[in-house]
Amino acid sequence: MKKCTIISLLLFLPWLLFANVETKSKEMCNCLKKANTSSSESVKKGCLQLREKHVKVLKKGSKDHETYLKLINACEEEIAGIPQIDPNLTTEEKTKVICDCFKTTGKQNRMGCFKLQSDYAKTISDSEEKKSFNLNSQSCEE
C-alpha cells in the first residue's frame, strides 16, 4: 500500500510542478496587467516583489524557471499588443500581417513588429522563400 502511494505521488509530482509554474505565471501576468493600467508605484513594486518570490521558489536557471519566463514573455507581448505568430500562414499572408502591424502600431511599438517579422522569418525553411519574405516585409516598414 505504501509503495503504491509513493509511486502515484511520483507520477503526480511533475503535474503539480507544472501547475505550480502555470499558476505563478498567471499570477504574475495578472499583476503585470494591473501595473500596465495603474499609475501607482506600489502596484509596480508589488510585481517586482512577486517576481523575486517566484524566482526563489522556481529556482533560477531550472527548467521550471525557463518555462515561467516563456509564459511571462508571452504575457508581456500580449500586453504590448504583439500578435502571436501563425506558422501555417502562406508567405503572402505573413507579409500582410507584418505590413498591417507596421501600419497600425505607433512609433513606440515598432519593435514588436520587427520581432513578429523575425519570428515569421524563422518559420520559413526555404532560403529563397525566406529571402523574398524578408524583402517584401521590409518594404512595408516605411
Side-chain angles (χ1 to χ4, degrees):
M1 179 70 175
K2 201 175 196 181
K3 190 175 186 178
C4 185
T5 305
I6 292 173
I7 291 173
S8 60
L9 182 63
L10 288 174
L11 293 173
F12 193 62
L13 191 62
W15 182 84
L16 279 175
L17 291 175
F18 184 74
N20 191 25
V21 171
E22 203 168 84
T23 303
K24 290 185 181 334
S25 65
K26 283 181 184 176
E27 182 183 14
M28 186 65 191
C29 186
N30 289 334
C31 187
L32 292 172
K33 286 177 181 176
K34 284 182 199 169
N36 190 45
T37 58
S38 175
S39 58
S40 171
E41 286 299 314
S42 65
V43 172
K44 294 173 184 180
K45 285 181 182 178
C47 290
L48 289 173
Q49 291 170 344
L50 182 62
R51 185 179 180 121
E52 288 175 13
K53 177 181 157 189
H54 288 167
V55 169
K56 278 184 185 178
V57 171
L58 296 172
K59 310 235 185 310
K60 188 175 183 174
S62 70
K63 187 173 182 166
D64 287 339
H65 182 252
E66 294 300 317
T67 302
Y68 174 80
L69 291 178
K70 286 178 185 174
L71 292 169
I72 296 303
N73 188 38
C75 174
E76 289 170 340
E77 288 176 358
E78 178 189 328
I79 292 169
I82 299 170
Q84 298 297 308
I85 66 164
D86 180 358
N88 298 319
L89 296 178
T90 65
T91 303
E92 291 78 21
E93 290 170 327
K94 291 174 185 178
T95 302
K96 183 182 179 334
V97 169
I98 301 304
C99 290
D100 289 348
C101 183
F102 281 114
K103 287 177 189 171
T104 59
T105 60
K107 293 278 186 196
Q108 69 273 21
N109 289 335
R110 289 177 62 83
M111 289 308 294
C113 297
F114 287 119
K115 182 180 181 328
L116 186 63
Q117 185 179 31
S118 172
D119 290 345
Y120 269 126
K122 291 174 187 171
T123 66
I124 302 171
S125 56
D126 180 68
S127 61
E128 287 302 313
E129 186 179 351
K130 186 181 286 194
K131 186 187 291 185
S132 174
F133 168 77
N134 285 330
L135 288 172
N136 291 331
S137 62
Q138 287 171 0
S139 68
C140 60
E141 293 173 21
E142 300 156 6

